[in-house]
Amino acid sequence: MPSSKYPSPPFDAELQPVLDAILESFSPSLHPEDIPALRAAKLTPGPEELVQDRPVTHTEHIVPGPAGDLTVSVFARSDHNSARPALFFTHVGGLIFGDRFNGIAPLMDHVEELDLVAVTVEYRLAPEHPSPAAVEDSYAALKWTAEHAAELGIDPDRIITAGASAGGGLAAALALMARDNNGPAVAGQMLMYPVLDDRDETVSTHQNDGIGVWDRTSNLTGWNAALGERRGTTQVSIYEAPARATDLSHLPPAYIEVGSNEVFRDESVVYATGIWAAGGAADLHVWAGGFHLFGQFAPDTAISRAARDTRTNWLRRTFQL
C-alpha cells in the first residue's frame, strides 16, 4: 500500500480501468526471482509487427562493442533518400529484461510522420552484466551510428538520444557521456519516464510503493541488479545514475515526460530543474494521473494522445522540421 504519509494522487479516469486490467496478470512489485519469468514472457513485438503496413523498412547491423559484437536495428521510411534527423533509442526493461524493440513502438509514428531514422541497440542486461555494461554498450553503438551516418541516411548533427524507463536513464547518460568525451554530437535528449536516481528516496517513490506499474520494489530490484552493493553509495557514477550529476551545463535540449503517479516523477522534476539552473533548455511534462509507461499501455486514451502530440511538437521544434 502507498505510504500514509504521502497519499497518492488519483489516477486518470480513463487510465484506471486499463491499470486494473494490467494488474490482473502483472504485479506492481517485481523481485529478483521474477526476472526469469519476465524474460521468458513475450512482451516485445518483433520488427515485422512494429512495421506492419507502414512505409517503413527495418535493417539489422552487427557493430563492435566494448565486450563483443552488438546488434543494432535501424528503422527508416522506405522512401528515405537523404540525410535526416535520427533518434538513437535505448529500450525499456529496468536494465534487467527486454530487447532492443521493447518500448520503441511509439517512435514508429515519428519515423513515418517526420521521416526520422530510429536506431536501437541490444545492450547487455544485469545482473549477469552489471553496470556500466548497458551504458557502455549504448555509447559504443551511438558512436557507431554517428560514424556511419552517411550510409544510414542520417544527418550526424541531428541525432537525439531517446529512451523510455531504464532506457530514458541511459539516454540521459549518453548525453552526459557525449558532452564529457567530446562527442559524438547530440542534438537533444528525449527522456520518457526516465530512471535517473538509484538512491530511491523521493516522495513519489514512496507514493508508488505497492501500486501502479513498476513500483518502488521493482525499482530497487532493477537498481540492485545493476549496481549491487554500490547502490545508494558514493561509488555510483553520473553515467550509471544521471541524477548523481552536479553539473548539468552544456547539455543538449531535453524533453522529459513522466506521469504524476509513478516512482520517477520527482527525479524527473529535479533533473529538469538542474538543467534550467545550469542555463540549459528542458521541456518538462508531468501528466496528471499517468502511471509508468501509460502512453505505451494505453496509447488510445486522451492523455496518451496529448503526450504523443506534445512530444511530436518538441521534435519538430528541435529538428526544425
Side-chain angles (χ1 to χ4, degrees), residues 44-210:
T44 306
E48 298 83 4
E49 187 178 350
L50 286 165
V51 171
Q52 295 184 6
D53 58 353
R54 296 177 185 269
V56 172
T57 60
H58 165 254
T59 57
E60 191 171 284
H61 306 263
I62 304 299
V63 310
D69 289 341
L70 300 170
T71 303
V72 168
S73 281
V74 179
F75 293 90
R77 283 185 60 95
S78 52
D79 60 355
H80 178 84
N81 59 11
S82 62
R84 295 291 295 171
L87 299 172
F88 181 85
F89 181 76
T90 38
H91 72 75
V92 174
L95 301 175
I96 55 176
F97 72 98
D99 60 29
R100 64 191 182 280
F101 305 121
N102 198 13
I104 200 175
L107 270 62
M108 295 301 102
D109 288 338
H110 304 319
V111 171
E112 181 177 5
E113 295 171 13
L114 303 179
D115 192 14
L116 306 183
V117 179
V119 181
T120 180
V121 59
E122 194 83 20
Y123 58 77
R124 287 171 292 164
L125 300 175
E128 296 88 344
H129 305 285
S131 184
V135 71
E136 289 182 346
D137 288 352
S138 300
Y139 186 58
L142 174 63
K143 291 193 295 183
W144 177 87
T145 299
E147 291 164 359
H148 293 79
E151 65 191 72
L152 298 173
I154 291 172
D155 180 346
D157 294 322
R158 292 197 290 172
I159 299 174
I160 282 179
T161 61
S165 194
L170 290 172
L174 290 175
L176 289 166
M177 292 185 82
R179 178 197 67 180
D180 296 343
N181 291 282
N182 297 313
V186 174
Q189 47 185 323
M190 192 169 79
L191 316 180
M192 299 172 283
Y193 330 97
V195 179
L196 300 167
D197 195 344
D198 66 293
R199 292 163 294 193
D200 206 57
E201 296 172 347
T202 63
V203 170
S204 60
T205 191
H206 289 283
Q207 286 178 315
N208 291 277
D209 191 355

Side-chain angles (χ1 to χ4, degrees), residues 110 114 255 283 306-321:
H110 304 319
L114 303 179
Y255 172 89
D283 280 41
R308 184 167 58 249
D309 290 346
T310 302
R311 189 186 326 122
T312 301
N313 288 336
W314 179 81
L315 286 169
R316 288 185 184 278
R317 287 189 288 119
T318 302
F319 284 141
Q320 298 182 351
L321 299 175

